[in-house]
Amino acid sequence: MKKPIIFFVLMLMSGIFSCQNISNQPESKQPNIIFIMSDDHAYQAISAYDNRLIHTPNIDRLAEMGMLFTNASVTNSICAPSRATILTGKHSHLNGKVDNHFQFDTTNITFPQILQEAGYQTALFGKLHFGNNPKGFDQFKILPGQGAYYNPEFITKYEGNIVVDGYVTDIVTDMTLDWLDKERDKEQPFMLMYWHKAPHRSWLMAERHLEEFTSRTFPEPETLFDDYSGRTSPAGEAEMNILHHMSWAGDHKVFPELMDELGIAEIGFDKARYAYEYSRLNESQKENFLKVYGKVNEDFANAYPNMSEEDKMRWKYQRYMQDYLGTIQAVDENMGRLLDYLEANDLMENTIIVYTSDQGFYLGEHGWYDKRFIYDESFKTPLLISWPNRIKAGSRSDELVQNLDFAQTFLEAAGIEAPSDMQGESLMPILTGNEDQWTRDAVYYHYYEYPAEHMVNRHYAIVTKDYKLVHYYYVEDQWELLDRKKDPLELKNFYGDPEYVEIKADLHKRLEELRVKYKDNTAISQRYIDEFMDDALDGKIFGISKEKANEIIQRRESVMRD
Ligand code: SGN
Ligand code: CA
């Protein structure tokens, strides 16, 4: 019964909206939308934000042409949930995609479906990570799951599953340019999603960048040796420390034979992941890899016997940055190809181009890699938007905008009224210089995937420009109050500090108001926890054993008894 009703509603909406379009705005004025997303791209690794690590001249072009957001964030810092929030304009607890584990519920209405119904041509190339195919696209070629860096497989709308030789970032761009140039109807507006796999783990860069990036040295973040004191226990319990949890072969490309020779123990799926990545390469790619990483291994073999724990952390951080940033070099080059094409084909002026990531990422801050936590580097995400017809070149905004807001922004830009149950706010006032019409002063966050890989405890929070009040509610019940202005590195919990009594009370009140506003409550969250824990106890959650899941449940029960 459900599907026909939704279809009817969509038809109805599209009818109403196309009438509106005709009367309010000539069809030809509807902007094109190009939504570019990379996977796990930290804002620290875009030179328009921070030029200490890498130069990204092409991504920076969007900042020069348009607006850079310094306070953009996600509602749940993990891949598929972020994408689901983007497509539905709803928080995780309402769209149902609370973690990477369960499939996306395709009965949700997404903004591509609405745009398609309203006459937009729609296409998606790259990573989606939903466990099923997307609705609302005239064309898609998506990577299965996380996808592969080399010679990747794609699930396509019309050609079944295909394997394409080459490097994923180049291939996804070729597909995108092909569609723009040859496949779309050039008389109609379009909405194109160009969604990279890079720079997701395990960071395999293009062959052409191997030599250059494996010889670079990068500055260390101030908190590389964070000891996690001063905050609640989840920071110290997480398994995402570069020294302790990043694997030697799988991540750093130390040869498994060398690990054996040096007596280095595996971390996680260390050698298996290395073997998987390596097995995907063809003969000439293997040769190139072995040559470049052979040199890295040689230097490592010489240095390792005299390395202290601190040296190992420093070495691992450098290796992490070399490979991670190497993958971004190809993203930036390909971004250049796309922007050049748009310029050459007169498509720049009336196209909204968004560059963002599905979340931020730790590049050694707090000694970490990965994301999930509400500490800035993963809670915040890069966001650059250009639209020369409407946005002032070189502008910046520090407003609290979120991935929740994209759907309504695009719909408003296209002259389409958004469904009333979407929960974001259109960014149009900010983009068009009418900031006085923007009133949001706090955002809501909720992370769920636990116990799972990286062991980041469940938490929800309110974030304002000045503070974060965070509740870790699973296992031990703990609160954290972060002072964003006074302690920007987020090293201290002020929750018990008498000076913060009033601030704390105010934030508690506002957090409850936000939970009511966004309709998150214990009953809804509990449903997701129960389903997830059943699978965890069955050993069905990636990266966590049945025993570990059971241990967490026992701990939780004993805390609740006390
Ligand atoms: C993989 C990675 C994790 C990462 C998740 C989620 N491990 O499981 O490090 O946190 O993806 O990433 S790996 O050993 O398989 O590389 S997400 O971007 O899809 O959310
Ligand atoms: Ca991601």
Side-chain angles (χ1 to χ4, degrees):
M1 266 321 279
K2 225 172 180 179
K3 273 186 188 158
I5 292 174
I6 287 164
F7 183 65
F8 176 71
V9 172
L10 268 177
M11 290 298 289
L12 197 72
M13 287 190 318
S14 76
I16 294 167
F17 300 141
S18 41
C19 290
Q20 272 187 355
N21 292 340
I22 292 160
S23 57
N24 296 345
Q25 257 181 334
E27 200 81 331
S28 62
K29 288 281 181 237
Q30 280 182 309
N32 302 309
I33 298 162
I34 302 186
F35 191 113
I36 308 164
M37 191 155 76
S38 300
D39 191 3
D40 294 355
H41 194 165
Y43 53 86
Q44 309 90 291
I46 293 179
S47 44
Y49 280 90
D50 184 338
N51 59 16
R52 285 173 298 179
L53 293 174
I54 187 168
H55 186 46
T56 51
N58 292 301
I59 299 173
D60 293 3
R61 280 160 73 180
L62 292 186
E64 286 149 26
M65 283 191 291
M67 187 175 274
L68 176 146
F69 290 81
T70 57
N71 240 332
S73 64
V74 295
T75 61
N76 179 1
S77 181
I78 183 155
C79 185
S82 168
R83 290 155 203 261
T85 291
I86 288 171
L87 292 180
T88 61
K90 290 181 183 168
H91 274 277
S92 307
H93 58 276
L94 293 193
N95 68 45
K97 188 80 181 109
V98 301
D99 51 49
N100 275 344
H101 178 63
F102 295 105
Q103 280 196 339
F104 177 68
D105 172 1
T106 55
T107 61
N108 277 295
I109 304 269
T110 65
F111 83 81
Q113 283 170 282
I114 300 174
L115 287 176
Q116 188 188 45
E117 289 290 334
Y120 266 74
Q121 294 172 82
T122 53
L124 163 62
F125 300 102
K127 178 173 171 184
L128 180 63
H129 200 196
F130 273 179
N132 47 29
N133 290 349
K135 286 186 179 165
F137 291 95
D138 301 327
Q139 174 62 292
F140 64 77
K141 295 183 181 176
I142 55 172
L143 298 158
Q146 294 285 8
Y149 273 106
Y150 276 88
N151 314 319
E153 190 183 357
F154 286 85
I155 300 165
T156 71
K157 181 153 179 168
Y158 301 109
E159 301 158 63
N161 285 23
I162 55 171
V163 174
V164 186
D165 287 341
Y167 185 65
V168 70
T169 308
D170 302 334
I171 297 168
V172 170
T173 311
D174 293 344
M175 290 172 166
T176 299
L177 290 175
D178 243 40
W179 185 82
L180 275 174
D181 202 45
K182 303 197 181 83
E183 217 177 306
R184 76 188 165 99
D185 170 356
K186 293 190 175 152
E187 303 307 312
Q188 293 298 314
F190 65 84
M191 193 284 295
L192 167 65
M193 297 182 136
Y194 167 50
W195 284 12
H196 285 298
K197 169 189 170 62
H200 192 272
R201 200 178 179 190
S202 10
W203 312 301
L204 264 60
M205 70 185 105
E207 290 170 271
R208 60 185 181 278
H209 299 131
L210 280 167
E211 204 126 354
E212 182 189 342
F213 275 80
T214 52
S215 40
R216 283 202 190 173
T217 309
F218 301 93
E220 289 170 5
E222 255 177 273
T223 57
L224 184 63
F225 292 96
D226 193 344
D227 63 3
Y228 312 114
S229 59
R231 276 137 299 166
T232 52
S233 66
E237 284 164 8
E239 296 179 357
M240 42 195 252
N241 180 277
I242 296 172
L243 175 63
H244 300 297
H245 308 109
M246 203 176 255
S247 57
W248 294 97
D251 291 315
H252 301 304
K253 288 91 179 173
V254 172
F255 296 152
E257 314 82 75
L258 183 62
M259 285 177 67
D260 294 342
E261 217 173 281
L262 296 171
I264 300 176
E266 283 196 77
I267 301 178
F269 312 104
D270 209 329
K271 293 178 185 172
R273 195 174 42 229
Y274 176 92
Y276 167 77
E277 299 287 8
Y278 188 73
S279 71
R280 293 206 60 89
L281 306 179
N282 66 29
E283 287 314 308
S284 91
Q285 289 161 346
K286 274 182 191 160
E287 209 177 293
N288 261 323
F289 262 73
L290 290 182
K291 194 174 101 213
V292 174
Y293 287 112
K295 171 85 175 68
V296 168
N297 273 262
E298 219 178 281
D299 294 347
F300 178 66
N302 290 331
Y304 184 79
N306 300 315
M307 276 182 175
S308 64
E309 290 301 286
E310 209 176 286
D311 295 336
K312 285 179 198 162
M313 176 57 138
R314 298 210 143 101
W315 183 87
K316 292 183 107 209
Y317 166 74
Q318 292 300 334
R319 284 290 308 114
Y320 167 33
M321 283 302 93
Q322 291 172 347
D323 291 354
Y324 175 90
L325 296 167
T327 70
I328 288 174
Q329 187 71 12
V331 170
D332 189 66
E333 284 174 3
N334 279 289
M335 179 79 174
R337 288 175 65 201
L338 174 68
L339 296 181
D340 290 350
Y341 176 86
L342 297 175
E343 256 162 24
N345 289 277
D346 209 18
L347 279 168
M348 208 57 117
E349 293 301 304
N350 197 32
T351 301
I352 303 174
I353 308 174
V354 171
Y355 188 94
T356 192
S357 173
D358 56 346
Q359 8 68 209
F361 213 68
Y362 298 102
L363 303 184
E365 299 86 1
H366 306 290
W368 284 333
Y369 62 106
D370 214 67
K371 54 257 178 176
R372 300 159 193 264
F373 272 115
I374 197 162
Y375 302 110
D376 266 358
E377 294 81 4
S378 87
F379 164 68
K380 295 210 291 181
T381 193
L383 177 60
L384 304 128
I385 307 183
S386 117
W387 185 9
N389 272 356
R390 304 295 292 273
I391 304 174
K392 192 162 162 261
S395 48
R396 283 170 90 90
S397 170
D398 68 349
E399 293 303 337
L400 297 163
V401 304
Q402 287 199 295
N403 59 346
L404 184 67
D405 302 324
F406 288 125
Q408 277 145 282
T409 305
F410 297 144
L411 292 174
E412 186 180 346
I416 299 171
E417 198 175 317
S420 58
D421 61 349
M422 282 192 174
Q423 298 184 303
E425 286 175 45
S426 163
L427 304 179
M428 285 297 277
I430 301 176
L431 300 177
T432 55
N434 296 301
E435 276 196 352
D436 50 325
Q437 290 165 25
W438 177 263
T439 54
R440 181 190 283 158
D441 58 4
V443 293
Y444 181 63
Y445 182 85
H446 196 158
Y447 170 81
Y448 299 78
E449 194 177 285
Y450 178 88
E453 203 185 8
H454 301 302
M455 293 298 286
V456 174
N457 209 328
R458 296 165 188 266
H459 52 300
Y460 64 81
I462 177 174
V463 180
T464 68
K465 283 187 181 168
D466 294 332
Y467 304 103
K468 292 179 184 169
L469 177 68
V470 192
H471 189 198
Y472 292 96
Y473 59 88
Y474 198 70
V475 191
E476 291 83 7
D477 196 46
Q478 302 182 77
W479 288 89
E480 203 158 273
L481 173 57
L482 302 167
D483 185 331
R484 305 184 78 186
K485 294 274 156 63
K486 190 165 162 187
D487 174 34
L489 296 179
E490 302 181 304
L491 295 170
K492 191 167 161 34
N493 179 10
F494 292 91
Y495 194 77
D497 187 326
E499 279 186 28
Y500 287 79
V501 169
E502 278 169 34
I503 293 165
K504 194 166 85 179
D506 179 54
L507 287 168
H508 269 292
K509 186 169 144 278
R510 290 170 68 191
L511 174 58
E512 274 324 301
E513 286 165 4
L514 277 188
R515 280 170 65 78
V516 171
K517 172 177 169 184
Y518 290 122
K519 304 186 170 64
D520 193 2
N521 58 51
T522 314
I524 293 180
S525 301
Q526 194 57 45
R527 202 183 94 212
Y528 295 115
I529 295 173
D530 292 345
E531 281 179 40
F532 189 87
M533 289 317 297
D534 283 349
D535 278 5
L537 289 171
D538 277 353
K540 289 186 193 153
I541 303 293
F542 180 74
I544 171 137
S545 63
K546 287 183 191 179
E547 293 69 34
K548 186 110 181 190
N550 199 38
E551 188 191 305
I552 299 292
I553 298 229
Q554 300 299 324
R555 207 172 107 201
R556 181 163 191 264
E557 281 171 4
S558 90
V559 169
M560 285 166 81
R561 269 197 307 273
D562 294 343

